[in-house]
Amino acid sequence: MSVIYEPRGRAREYAPLACNLYVGCAHGCTYCWAAAFAVKQGLVQSRAEFHASPRPRLGVLKNFAREAEALGAAKDQRPVQLCFTTDPCQPIEAEHHLTRDALRIMAENGLRAQVLTKGDAAGLGTINKLAWRPDNLFGASLCSLGGEGLEEWEPGAISPVRRVAGLAKAKDLGLTTWVSLEPTIWPARSLNLIRVLDERVDCFAVGKLNYGQPPEPVNWAEYREAAVALLEAQGRERVHSPGDTRPGERTYLIKHDLEAA
Ligand code: SF4
């Protein structure tokens, strides 16, 4: 089985190709669907183990290098997202540096990279490793700039302020930046993120909360309409995937499940 794969279903909206470098994730988000998926796949015994004992995926870099070489030889320019079922910049990256090495391999083979994280991408050197081509995408996942209740939902992630600092650094380096507003837990806070981060973010991806109950009932259709109005007022064009965004463009996407809500 390939380690660089074509995501299916909802994940496909984020990127046409992806690779999961670790098994498990220390960020411990309560809405994490990847933990339930890993249990179902038999990769871990429980959600608790998924969050408590993340580990490198066995032999992943060797296969990654071989597959990246083949994609490079085929001149495949579809972005490869790191990662879907784990966070590429969680604390064990400091020890194992799989993300750093995967980005080096991608650069050697001329591949376009896309990162999505709630971790310390600046401190771990991930953002610098992306900076060799401006259409590489650096993304942060955010559901609030702070405030009550956030730590209960994302107990191990770095603070939103630090995630925003990562976006600013990526922007300063000339990278294409994006923010995943999925999940949305507090619609007003997500709309505020769109306002506050307008200058720093090239593409916003807006979704709903699919795994867990929001603290207050949400009218998803109203939220979607408010988000679209705001994003259009910012002069953004609607796209199907963050990777459709080219350097200098301002875009957004509405995830299918929010569109259908
Ligand atoms: S950062 Fe992503 S993979 Fe990690 S616990 Fe949170 S939702 Fe799951």
Side-chain angles (χ1 to χ4, degrees):
M1 198 176 77
S2 300
V3 296
I4 301 177
Y5 67 102
E6 293 186 348
R8 293 193 207 143
R10 284 186 189 133
R12 180 85 186 202
E13 295 173 73
Y14 273 159
L17 294 171
C19 180
N20 299 307
L21 297 167
Y22 295 99
V23 175
C25 178
H27 290 156
C29 309
T30 55
Y31 52 72
C32 181
W33 68 271
F37 181 73
V39 173
K40 206 169 146 193
Q41 296 285 305
L43 296 170
V44 292
Q45 298 294 315
S46 64
R47 287 184 70 98
E49 182 191 337
F50 181 88
H51 294 307
S53 310
R55 60 180 192 267
R57 193 172 161 194
L58 206 60
V60 68
L61 269 193
K62 196 171 156 210
N63 291 334
F64 187 91
R66 195 187 62 242
E67 292 168 25
E69 196 179 335
L71 288 171
K75 306 214 175 308
D76 195 326
Q77 289 299 294
R78 291 175 295 169
V80 180
Q81 174 154 315
L82 305 175
C83 303
F84 273 121
T85 63
T86 183
D87 194 304
C89 305
Q90 59 180 308
I92 58 168
E93 168 66 8
E95 182 186 348
H96 300 286
H97 42 79
L98 295 184
T99 299
R100 188 190 73 190
D101 291 347
L103 290 173
R104 175 183 48 75
I105 290 166
M106 276 195 264
E108 286 168 0
N109 289 283
L111 301 185
R112 190 174 175 211
Q114 176 170 324
V115 162
L116 178 62
T117 183
K118 298 182 188 86
D120 185 14
L124 290 164
T126 306
I127 297 173
N128 285 334
K129 278 279 172 199
L130 284 164
W132 71 279
R133 65 183 279 178
D135 62 346
N136 276 344
L137 296 120
F138 174 72
S141 176
L142 285 160
C143 53
S144 173
L145 265 181
E148 203 178 322
L150 183 60
E151 240 185 78
E152 289 161 32
W153 289 86
E154 300 175 340
I158 66 167
S159 73
V161 171
R162 290 176 65 204
R163 285 178 240 176
V164 170
L167 286 166
K169 175 172 178 155
K171 191 79 183 146
D172 287 347
L173 287 172
L175 287 163
T176 302
T177 56
W178 69 291
V179 160
S180 170
L181 296 172
E182 183 186 52
T184 292
I185 299 169
W186 304 275
R189 296 194 201 180
S190 292
L191 293 171
N192 189 46
L193 282 162
I194 294 173
R195 283 186 206 99
V196 171
L197 299 180
D198 180 26
E199 295 297 318
R200 290 180 194 156
V201 175
D202 297 316
C203 177
F204 285 100
V206 190
K208 58 198 278 285
L209 175 65
N210 290 311
Y211 303 92
Q213 286 298 320
E216 304 283 341
V218 175
N219 183 326
W220 293 113
E222 265 180 27
Y223 169 59
R224 180 186 66 237
E225 283 162 22
V228 169
L230 195 50
L231 291 157
E232 297 267 340
Q234 290 176 343
R236 295 176 183 275
E237 259 185 59
R238 191 161 176 167
V239 292
H240 297 295
S241 187
D244 295 340
T245 311
R246 292 286 154 186
E249 291 180 350
R250 290 161 54 77
T251 66
Y252 73 96
L253 69 118
I254 303 293
K255 297 282 312 277
H256 283 146
D257 44 18
L258 179 59
E259 189 61 56

